[in-house]
Amino acid sequence: MRDIIYWILCAFLTVAIAVVSLRYVTNFWLLSFVYSFQIHLGVVFVAASLVVLAIKRQIYGFILLIASLFLIAHGVIMLCEFSEGDRGTDRPPLFRLMSFNIAIDNWKNSTEITDMVIASNADVVNLLEAKPLTFHLQRLFKAYPYHIGCDSGKDTCDTLVLSKRPFVRRQVANMGSLRKNRLVIASVDFGGETINLVSAHLTKPYFDDFQMAELEDLAKALGSIDGPLVLSGDFNSSAIAPSIQAFLREQKLKTITPEPATWPIGAGALGIAIDHIFARAPLHLTSLKRLDDNLGSNHSGLVADFVLDKDGETSPAK
C-alpha cells in the first residue's frame, strides 16, 4: 500500500511540476497566469516532495524535491533581474505617484476612496476602473486641477489620471482590440524636469492572446518616448510571467523588489504583485509601498516615490 501511495503522489507531483515548467518551452496563454505563481507553487511542491519522501525515501522523491527548489530559486532570480537596488534614498523625492485599481463595482466605498486620494499627498494619481468615483469628480478635480479621463460621464470613466501640475502632453489610446482607452500617456513638469507618465490596464492573460497584443502596442508606445518614464497600472500578471519579463527586459524597466503583493486581497502579503509601478532610467524608484487599506477593491493600491539621476537626460516625449 505504501508503494502505491508513493507512486500516485509522485505521478501527480510530476505532472504539476511539468505544467509549471512548460514556461521554459512555450509561453502558452492558457498557462500564463499559472506562471505568475511559480514561486508559490514551488513552495507547495517542496512540501509535497517532503511528504513523498516521508512515505518512502527513494531517488525519485529527491529528484522532485530538487526540481521544486529550482522553480523557487529561479523565480527569485527572475524577480531580482528587475530590481532597482538602493538608489537616491538620501535625496528628497522629485514626486510621488499612487496607482490603484478601485474595482468597477466598488460604489459603496467611493467616498472613502475619494477621501484617501485627496489625503494621500501624491503628486499624480492613477486610478483604474474609476467609474464608482463618478459622483465625486468635482471634489477630486478641486484637489487635482489637472486630469485625463472621465470627461463624458460614467460610461467612459475607466482610467482616470489626476495631477497637481499641468500636463505638458496628454494622450488616450487603445491597446489591442478587446477594450478601449486603457492606455494613457502624459508628461508633467516637476521643477523643470519633464517626466513621462504612462498608465496601462492589461487584460487577464488567460483571455486568449489579447494580453500579448496589448503588450506589443504598449511596447510601441513606450518605444516612442524619450527621457524619464514611469509606467504604472494593473497588468493582471506578475513580473515573472514570461510575456511581462520579455516586455520589461526590452523596455529596460525596473522596480523595487520584492514588490508588494496586490492580489488576491485575502492572501495579504502572501499574494502576488499583479499591479506594478516601473521606472526607466534616468528615473528611479526610492520607495514602493502598498496602501494600508484596499477600501473594498479586489486589488491593493500602490504608492511610490521617485528621484532623477542628476546626469540623466530630461527630454520630453516625442
Side-chain angles (χ1 to χ4, degrees), residues 1 14 26 40 49 61 63 80 83 121 123 126 131 139 144 198 207 216 223 227 238 248 262 272 274 280 304 315 317:
M1 179 62 70
T14 299
T26 178
H40 293 69
S49 300
I63 292 174
C80 291
S83 177
N121 197 35
D123 299 285
N126 175 33
K131 191 174 182 177
R139 283 188 61 208
Y144 290 88
V198 180
F207 283 10
E216 290 177 5
S238 79
L248 296 177
T262 62
I272 62 173
I274 64 172
R280 187 163 70 192
S315 58

Side-chain angles (χ1 to χ4, degrees), residues 227-258:
L229 180 145
V230 53
L231 170 64
S232 63
D234 176 7
F235 284 61
N236 276 305
S237 296
S238 79
I240 63 173
S243 55
I244 304 298
Q245 268 207 313
F247 168 79
L248 296 177
R249 200 173 290 125
E250 177 189 1
Q251 297 301 320
K252 297 179 173 59
L253 294 166
K254 299 289 185 179
T255 188
I256 291 178
T257 56

Side-chain angles (χ1 to χ4, degrees), residues 43-66:
V43 172
V44 173
F45 296 160
V46 166
S49 300
L50 293 175
V51 171
V52 166
L53 289 170
I55 294 173
K56 194 171 184 180
R57 291 193 178 185
Q58 286 193 350
I59 187 64
Y60 194 71
F62 287 102
I63 292 174
L64 293 174
L65 177 60
I66 292 171

Side-chain angles (χ1 to χ4, degrees), residues 3-311:
D3 285 345
I4 294 175
I5 295 175
Y6 173 84
W7 287 113
I8 289 176
L9 290 177
C10 284
F12 278 112
L13 187 53
T14 299
V15 171
I17 292 174
V19 168
V20 177
S21 300
L22 281 175
R23 66 166 299 139
Y24 302 109
V25 180
T26 178
N27 184 21
F28 182 39
W29 61 267
L30 193 59
L31 293 175
S32 184
F33 198 60
V34 173
Y35 300 152
S36 291
F37 284 92
Q38 175 169 327
I39 296 175
H40 293 69
L41 291 172
V43 172
V44 173
F45 296 160
V46 166
S49 300
L50 293 175
V51 171
V52 166
L53 289 170
I55 294 173
K56 194 171 184 180
R57 291 193 178 185
Q58 286 193 350
I59 187 64
Y60 194 71
F62 287 102
I63 292 174
L64 293 174
L65 177 60
I66 292 171
S68 303
L69 290 171
F70 170 81
L71 290 177
I72 297 174
H74 188 234
V76 173
I77 290 171
M78 288 189 289
L79 286 178
C80 291
E81 178 182 352
F82 306 107
S83 177
E84 277 278 21
D86 185 14
R87 281 185 175 269
T89 54
D90 58 334
R91 287 186 282 161
L94 180 64
F95 69 98
R96 172 170 291 177
L97 179 141
M98 177 197 296
S99 183
F100 188 18
N101 184 336
I102 69 172
I104 199 167
D105 58 350
N106 193 13
W107 292 91
K108 67 179 182 179
N109 295 288
S110 59
T111 301
E112 289 77 7
I113 293 171
T114 301
D115 293 339
M116 182 273 294
V117 170
I118 294 173
S120 68
N121 197 35
D123 299 285
V124 180
V125 180
N126 175 33
L127 298 171
L128 307 176
E129 300 187 18
K131 191 174 182 177
L133 302 180
T134 301
F135 302 110
H136 302 279
L137 292 177
Q138 295 310 310
R139 283 188 61 208
L140 289 169
F141 295 165
K142 185 176 181 180
Y144 290 88
Y146 309 98
H147 74 278
I148 303 173
C150 298
D151 294 311
S152 305
K154 65 180 182 180
D155 292 334
T156 59
C157 193
D158 190 345
T159 298
L160 175 62
V161 177
L162 305 167
S163 175
K164 292 183 177 180
R165 298 171 182 262
F167 294 109
V168 178
R169 176 207 184 189
R170 47 185 290 161
Q171 176 187 357
V172 179
N174 300 328
M175 296 180 295
S177 59
L178 186 61
R179 294 185 174 91
K180 296 181 178 180
N181 301 326
R182 286 195 163 186
L183 173 62
V184 175
I185 303 170
S187 299
V188 175
D189 186 296
F190 291 102
E193 308 287 358
T194 301
I195 306 298
N196 301 293
L197 307 167
V198 180
S199 166
H201 189 179
L202 301 181
T203 301
K204 293 176 176 61
Y206 44 84
F207 283 10
D208 208 324
D209 57 355
F210 286 108
Q211 191 192 81
M212 294 294 294
E214 291 171 349
L215 285 169
E216 290 177 5
D217 289 344
L218 182 57
K220 291 177 183 177
L222 267 58
S224 68
I225 298 175
D226 291 330
L229 180 145
V230 53
L231 170 64
S232 63
D234 176 7
F235 284 61
N236 276 305
S237 296
S238 79
I240 63 173
S243 55
I244 304 298
Q245 268 207 313
F247 168 79
L248 296 177
R249 200 173 290 125
E250 177 189 1
Q251 297 301 320
K252 297 179 173 59
L253 294 166
K254 299 289 185 179
T255 188
I256 291 178
T257 56
E259 295 177 273
T262 62
W263 185 91
I265 290 298
L270 297 179
I272 62 173
I274 64 172
D275 303 85
H276 305 280
I277 299 179
F278 300 111
R280 187 163 70 192
L283 190 68
H284 304 281
L285 289 95
T286 58
S287 71
L288 177 62
K289 298 178 181 179
R290 183 173 56 185
L291 298 181
D292 294 333
D293 194 333
N294 66 302
L295 296 171
S297 174
N298 58 342
H299 293 247
S300 290
L302 298 170
V303 61
D305 291 329
F306 299 84
V307 295
L308 192 67
D309 282 349
K310 293 180 180 180
D311 58 348

